[in-house]
Amino acid sequence: MKIIGRGDRVLLAGFIIAAIVVFAKPVRYVLDVAGEVERSSGLALVPALIILTVFFVFSLQAKRQEARVHALEAEAETIQADARAAEMERLVTFGQALGRSLDLEAIRDAVAQQLPGLVGTDAAWVLVRLDGTWHALLGAAGEERRETERTHQHIADHATAGDPRAGSPKTVVTNGHLCLPLTAGGQTIGVVGIPESAGPFSDTRHRNLAAAAALLAISVRNAQLFREVREHGLRDGLTGCYNRTHAVDMIDTELRRARRSQATTSIIMFDIDHFKQVNDHHGHLCGDAVLAAVGDRMRASLRISDLKCRYGGEEFLVLLPDTPLAGAKHVAETLRRDIAEMQVVWKESPVQVTASFGVTASLPSEVDRQAFIGRADAALYRAKDQGRNCVRLATEAAVA
């Protein structure tokens, strides 16, 4: 900032002229005395005084310039410090948002809100690898979303080419994108990407990218571990199916959803025929082998979206979202045949297994979970009473 402006210089010049006029006689007297001293002593005082005055003025000017430079440097450092503080605040906010996120949906929300500001562009995208498949946490929207995501997946494959366990955190430039692998636990689990057109990428932006990627990688890995722990707690260790508690919760959720969307949800309950005889004749280890084989057959025969549950003992339940009664009956018939054709070999001897099935569908606006399950259970017991190894429909659902 200039201390003296153009108008101030005119005033300063006028002040100097006025001072010369006011002090003209004293100055002339000093010069006369200096002249007498010069003549009597032979010393050149006047030129020396002039030289000293000139250097004094130049010294003041240099100090003033140095002070101005220091002030500008201090101002620049203050601006940089404020910028670093703002960056740190954004990183802390991002870390706090991720720390509150225990699943990928919550992480996706935090990334969408915070990451563009951290990396300096809305064109950033994030992919994470789950079960060998890329999933987008941040990316394009609209009609071209699928094509854009496929392009990003291709770029991510190039950026993470090699052993994913190597876990290299280094920035990679490929296909016109700056990519930073997300690394946690010694494994590469995702990629943060930015188009090179969003550059330039200064050291500060690189630091922000690296810090954001580190926070995001840890959060994604924690969500994966949390999901695995939760899955283990919700699944039956013998059959791999969900346990009864989780099935009951999911039935309540599906009934509410079906009521809102006016859709139909169906359930299948089935029971292994003469399972007690299997245990009595071959032992409980053979019974466990039969249960495990039934769990494997369910996973092979049913859709991924169908909830497979070991309801209790040798009884199983299957929840079929968005499936009417006729479709549920078809699924039950298919599963019945698959189980009847299944061969369980125990101590080199085949063990024949069949099952009896009860099927029901949700009634319009139904919210009573116990009544819903009760109808399927009643149909199951009719199937057992009517010869086993068959499928029976709940009469109430059939009439509806």
Side-chain angles (χ1 to χ4, degrees), residues 184-198:
Q187 292 187 349
T188 300
I189 60 175
V191 174
V192 176
I194 301 177
E196 285 190 287
S197 58

Side-chain angles (χ1 to χ4, degrees), residues 5 39 137 148 279 352 399:
R39 286 191 293 272
L137 287 185
T148 302
N279 285 331
Q352 188 65 37
V399 171

Side-chain angles (χ1 to χ4, degrees), residues 181-254:
L182 302 178
T183 305
Q187 292 187 349
T188 300
I189 60 175
V191 174
V192 176
I194 301 177
E196 285 190 287
S197 58
F201 297 99
S202 62
D203 291 342
T204 299
R205 289 189 72 183
H206 275 290
R207 286 197 302 270
N208 289 344
L209 265 175
L215 290 172
L216 183 55
I218 294 172
S219 181
V220 170
R221 183 57 180 158
N222 286 341
Q224 291 176 340
L225 294 175
F226 181 78
R227 185 188 64 173
E228 291 173 5
V229 171
R230 186 170 179 270
E231 286 286 318
H232 287 312
L234 295 176
R235 289 187 182 274
D236 172 55
L238 181 61
T239 63
C241 298
Y242 285 106
N243 59 32
R244 177 172 179 161
T245 301
H246 182 63
V248 168
D249 291 340
M250 291 304 299
I251 289 173
D252 284 336
T253 300
E254 279 301 317

Side-chain angles (χ1 to χ4, degrees), residues 63-121:
K63 288 183 178 179
R64 189 179 298 111
Q65 185 66 25
E66 185 180 354
R68 186 179 296 112
V69 170
H70 285 317
L72 292 175
E73 290 177 351
E75 184 178 359
E77 289 178 358
T78 301
I79 293 173
Q80 291 178 358
D82 290 341
R84 286 194 295 269
E87 293 164 7
M88 186 60 66
E89 184 177 357
R90 284 194 291 266
L91 280 172
V92 170
T93 303
F94 185 46
Q96 289 174 341
L98 292 176
R100 295 189 295 268
S101 305
L102 295 178
D103 55 55
L104 288 181
E105 287 302 319
I107 292 175
R108 182 178 285 110
D109 292 339
V111 168
Q113 293 174 9
Q114 305 291 337
L115 191 63
L118 273 172
V119 300
T121 177

Side-chain angles (χ1 to χ4, degrees), residues 50-71:
I50 293 174
I51 292 172
L52 287 174
T53 301
V54 170
F55 274 92
F56 178 72
V57 171
F58 275 109
S59 176
L60 289 178
Q61 185 66 22
K63 288 183 178 179
R64 189 179 298 111
Q65 185 66 25
E66 185 180 354
R68 186 179 296 112
V69 170
H70 285 317

Side-chain angles (χ1 to χ4, degrees), residues 15-33:
F15 176 77
I16 293 174
I17 294 172
I20 292 174
V21 172
V22 172
F23 296 103
K25 288 184 178 181
V27 170
R28 192 182 308 112
Y29 174 76
V30 171
L31 293 176
D32 290 341
V33 171

Side-chain angles (χ1 to χ4, degrees), residues 160-168 186-188:
T160 58
D163 186 359
R165 293 170 297 179
S168 174
Q187 292 187 349
T188 300

